[in-house]
Amino acid sequence: MALVAALVAAPAAAAPPDPPPAGPPAAGPPPAAASPVDSPAAPGSPAGEPPAGEPPAITPARRAAAIALAAIPGLAVPGLGARVVGERRAARQLLALRAIGLGMMVVGGVPLLVTYGSAKLVVPGVHLSVAGSGLFLVGWWADVYAAAGGGAGAPRRRAPIELVADATWIDDEFHGGRELIGVGGRGHRGRWTLAGRVAGAHDGALAQARVDAAARVWRPDARATGSGVDVRAAIDAIRDGDDDLVTVTGELAARGRLHLGDLDRALAGSFVELDAGLGLQAVDYRAGDADLAGVLISRFAGGVFLPCARGEVAVFYDHRRDTLAGGLPAGRAAGFFGSVGATAEVAITPTWIAAAAVEFGSARLATLGVRRGLR
Amino acid sequence: MRAAALALAAAALAACARPGEQRALDDALVGIADDAGLHVVITDRLGAVRTLTQGRLEVWAAAPAIELTVDVATGGAGRWQITIANALPDAELREGGAPLGVALPAPRPTVLVRDVDLAPGRHVLTVGPADAAGPMRIAAMADIQTGLPTVDEVFAAIATVNPRFVVCMGDLTERGELDEYALFDRQLATLPVPLYTTLGNHELWAEAARYQGRYGPASYQFTFHDVAFTFADSGDAGLDPIVEDAVGEMLAAAADRQSLFLTHFPPVDPVGIRDGAFRSRRDAQRLIGTLATAGVDLALYGHIHTYAEFEHAGIPAFVSGGGGARPERWDGIGRHFLVIDLAPGQPPIVGVRRVD
């Protein structure tokens, strides 16, 4: 504890005063990564101090300590890693982010616990809990990221039109392995996005079609992958011949992404994303009447942009259990949790993008795909 | 390194993808015991052999009528005290259609005790009442959990509606502790009729064998008065493929008679956005399709601590989680149970009774 206190109290090789926020994310040059070793003072700056706006110089030992502190006690102490590397403003921003997240978890979760899942409180309660968990956990992870010196990543700007081809492997305990081969496309114009995808199994037993439409209501450039808020709608239809089921789901949600570089330079290249909304699902069984059931859409993700604006990698939690993945068999909490997974997209060339995703729920999904950007 | 970690995580997730598999396999071994010169098999696993020691055989019945095949070795021949717990009050122990043994005093109406002389060889014993047809009334309940110390009040209320027996959709206990099971058994003294149940997720807080050793299998079917009662183990918020296949076969076999399906988790929450249901809605929908195909007449669930009446695939369905567990607030129901009147050729009539 004394060591932690000393690390936090001692300035990180003359930590700079709080820098201003990095400003809106741009697809331009990424912020410079912190040097892993001590560097000489910049010309014109006082000895031992980096110029304003530059990251402080950190010794490898201090960097390692910061990462370790951010990763373990940092779960409970927001911004600990950033503070140890002298990024005090980033530390305060992370404290605020995680405090907001914790507050949302408490405000949303406690009434659900107290009322034992009252139907009247489900929508706000789950949305607040999941979104709050996202802010809390991504804030934790972003502290590790800042302690590690951040990255050189920047948001990628998508092509106006992208064509997609992908293959999804699905494994579940009932069907074993199944595959879906999909093609689709996505177009952006101003604030608007329209996307569609059809996919089918080679034996025709499983088929999926999906149409997505979105309007960017904050920072209205639908091609930008940095901060922004979309209002989105989708229709998703799945025909599963193995189960004699047809489901059609309508979705309406708001999806927001915050490039944490907007909060502080030290967090540039990392982001948090939240998706919240409602849906309605119609299902036609092999026998009997069709049913309608509500769907709660609640998801969070955290990730990093790749260097040179070449893409992004993210991990996510999706509270939905009506998708092909279903929910995790989570022991005593079975029937409560949704799925977890990761996504990645990497621009191999300016027009060719490789994409991959894995998702773990009741079923396990892995997707590999390629996108072709058209100018 | 990262790839290895991912592969390890994927393997770990895949390994726990079937948390109910071992339980489903263990179900197949329920109702079989071998000791003290006796080999006992309960047909269709409709019960649990609780005690088998020299001169004493105690069985918990998981159905109104059960059959025991008892192979007596030379060393096992002689006088036996056979106790059938959780029996209908008018049930009789028979062999070859004739009453067997001498009745001994029993601690409660649902316990049948007989002093029997078993000769070496095979004995096929049956336990059941004389009636086998006609209308009947049953009660249904679930989710006792922390309400265990006062569940006798629920049982007493159930007794007032004179059901033939009670069916329960699980969560008898809060943590599956042995003293909870013992308390549950003591509380049953208030109930003058037997209670047939499956397990809930709270029974899985401890080894499921505790449940299976006391109350029999988690997934099973019995038929009484030409009504099929099919119980399924959904304690992990889903059916293991072994259970799902077995349920499909049992339901198909009952397609030409009145059929009730009972499990702990509702496949789909009637309040869909809450999803207090199966962990995979697609798995749930496949099960509902199976229920519809088999012509199930009524589906009964627990888990959600409220009362809900709804339909899926046109099948009348009820959630009744009012056995005493912490209740859902603001639903205006509290502790309750269902009263179900069954008559040949008629749809089940379901009512709800509040306890408080």
Side-chain angles (χ1 to χ4, degrees):
Chain A
M1 281 307 290
L3 179 63
V4 174
L7 282 167
V8 171
D18 290 345
S35 166
V37 295
D38 286 325
S39 57
S45 65
E49 286 190 20
E54 290 297 312
I58 306 297
T59 64
R62 190 181 188 89
R63 179 78 70 202
I67 293 170
L69 288 170
I72 300 168
L75 177 60
V77 186
L80 186 57
R83 193 164 290 278
V84 168
V85 295
E87 298 287 1
R88 285 177 291 184
R89 187 173 192 280
R92 284 202 298 275
Q93 297 284 22
L94 290 175
L95 172 63
L97 187 73
R98 295 187 67 192
I100 291 168
L102 187 61
M104 291 167 73
M105 288 162 67
V106 170
V107 170
V110 169
L112 280 180
L113 286 174
V114 169
T115 62
Y116 222 75
S118 168
K120 296 177 173 65
L121 297 177
V122 165
V123 173
V126 173
H127 277 147
L128 283 168
S129 300
V130 173
S133 303
L135 295 180
F136 188 81
L137 292 174
V138 175
W140 173 42
W141 175 85
D143 188 35
V144 179
Y145 175 82
R156 185 174 75 88
R157 186 168 166 78
R158 294 192 181 108
I161 296 175
E162 286 182 341
L163 302 179
V164 181
D166 57 32
T168 300
W169 175 73
I170 308 167
D171 177 58
D172 69 73
E173 58 263 45
F174 294 93
H175 304 100
R178 298 194 290 178
E179 306 85 26
L180 273 175
I181 306 299
V183 293
R186 180 164 60 187
H188 308 285
R189 185 180 174 86
R191 67 172 67 235
W192 301 97
T193 296
L194 184 64
R197 177 177 177 268
V198 292
H202 65 87
D203 60 359
L206 187 62
Q208 183 175 25
R210 183 178 176 92
V211 178
D212 276 280
R216 179 74 48 99
V217 295
W218 181 54
R219 298 195 174 173
D221 175 6
R223 292 171 60 193
T225 58
S227 297
V229 173
D230 292 333
V231 173
R232 66 173 191 83
I235 294 179
D236 189 285
I238 299 176
R239 184 182 65 79
D240 193 331
D242 291 331
D243 294 347
D244 286 328
L245 286 175
V246 177
T247 56
V248 179
T249 309
E251 304 171 12
L252 184 62
R255 178 179 53 214
R257 174 179 281 194
L258 177 66
H259 179 197
L260 297 178
D262 288 4
L263 301 179
D264 188 84
R265 166 192 46 74
L267 303 171
S270 61
F271 64 85
V272 59
E273 184 176 294
L274 304 176
D275 191 16
L278 293 170
L280 191 63
Q281 184 175 69
V283 54
D284 188 28
Y285 307 100
R286 74 185 79 164
D289 302 339
D291 283 334
L292 274 178
V295 172
L296 193 90
I297 298 164
S298 202
R299 179 184 189 273
F300 69 79
V304 293
F305 298 113
L306 299 179
C308 307
R310 296 188 73 150
E312 62 186 54
V313 177
V315 294
F316 68 85
Y317 168 74
D318 191 343
H319 196 63
R320 289 176 68 169
R321 304 212 299 275
D322 62 297
T323 60
L324 287 172
L328 284 165
R332 292 179 185 179
F336 179 76
F337 285 110
S339 59
V340 295
T343 59
E345 60 175 52
V346 183
I348 308 298
T349 72
T351 53
W352 286 98
I353 301 112
V358 291
E359 188 170 4
F360 301 101
S362 286
R364 294 151 294 281
L365 277 71
T367 300
L368 279 175
V370 63
R371 297 181 192 155
R372 165 75 171 167
L374 303 176
R375 301 278 166 190
Chain B
M1 191 66 183
R2 235 177 247 172
L6 270 176
L8 206 64
L13 283 167
C16 65
R18 291 185 58 178
E21 182 181 18
Q22 189 56 50
R23 209 164 57 248
L25 293 170
D26 290 346
D27 248 8
L29 305 175
V30 169
I32 301 172
D34 197 330
D35 205 352
L38 253 61
H39 180 71
V40 181
V41 177
I42 304 175
T43 306
D44 294 331
R45 305 167 294 115
L46 293 177
V49 180
R50 286 192 167 186
T51 306
L52 178 56
T53 57
Q54 192 61 52
R56 246 186 106 218
L57 169 63
E58 184 184 345
V59 168
W60 177 273
I66 63 171
E67 180 183 85
L68 290 81
T69 301
V70 181
D71 288 311
V72 182
T74 310
R79 299 203 72 78
W80 283 80
Q81 181 176 305
I82 297 179
T83 302
I84 309 295
N86 203 44
L88 285 166
D90 54 342
E92 185 52 78
L93 178 67
R94 297 170 188 274
E95 182 175 20
L100 182 67
V102 178
L104 297 176
R108 57 178 87 167
T110 55
V111 177
L112 174 157
V113 187
R114 295 289 182 270
D115 189 24
V116 176
D117 194 7
L118 289 178
R122 171 162 291 189
H123 300 264
V124 178
L125 314 181
T126 60
V127 181
D131 61 320
M136 65 175 167
R137 166 175 283 188
I138 64 168
M141 62 175 296
D143 298 281
I144 298 166
Q145 297 178 213
T146 52
L148 200 45
T150 56
V151 74
D152 54 321
E153 296 167 10
V154 181
F155 291 156
I158 288 174
T160 65
V161 302
N162 296 316
R164 193 76 173 99
F165 54 82
V166 179
V167 290
C168 179
M169 290 77 74
D171 274 1
L172 315 175
T173 67
E174 175 70 4
R175 296 173 182 275
E177 300 288 354
L178 291 173
D179 57 352
E180 289 182 299
Y181 285 125
L183 177 57
F184 178 73
D185 283 357
R186 289 199 299 276
Q187 295 287 44
L188 281 175
T190 321
L191 197 60
V193 294
L195 179 145
Y196 309 120
T197 184
T198 183
L199 55 72
N201 55 313
H202 279 261
E203 275 68 69
L204 303 183
W205 285 42
E207 310 90 84
R210 289 180 180 177
Y211 172 91
Q212 291 165 314
R214 282 176 169 268
Y215 307 113
S219 303
Y220 61 102
Q221 183 187 57
F222 66 78
T223 300
F224 189 62
H225 282 221
D226 209 32
V227 181
F229 295 80
T230 306
F231 294 78
D233 172 3
S234 63
D236 299 296
L239 303 190
D240 185 84
I242 295 171
V243 174
E244 186 168 333
D245 286 347
V247 163
E249 289 170 13
M250 289 189 290
L251 290 175
D256 59 348
R257 57 172 63 97
Q258 204 165 47
S259 177
L260 272 63
F261 176 73
L262 308 93
T263 195
H264 183 63
F265 276 85
V268 176
D269 190 332
V271 181
I273 52 174
R274 175 173 52 195
D275 246 352
F278 276 24
R279 61 180 188 264
S280 164
R281 190 177 287 188
R282 301 197 67 79
D283 292 349
Q285 289 161 341
R286 184 175 58 248
L287 173 63
I288 293 170
T290 301
L291 302 185
T293 304
V296 167
D297 298 281
L298 179 65
L300 301 174
Y301 309 116
H303 187 64
I304 308 172
H305 300 175
T306 190
Y307 165 81
E309 177 183 358
F310 61 110
E311 283 190 356
H312 45 41
I315 302 167
F318 290 81
V319 168
S320 177
R326 280 194 301 150
E328 179 183 324
R329 302 290 176 193
W330 308 329
D331 62 353
I333 185 74
R335 290 194 298 177
H336 69 276
F337 60 91
L338 302 180
V339 180
I340 303 168
D341 288 308
L342 300 163
Q346 294 179 22
I349 299 170
V350 183
V352 58
R353 296 287 177 98
R354 286 190 176 89
V355 175
D356 300 308

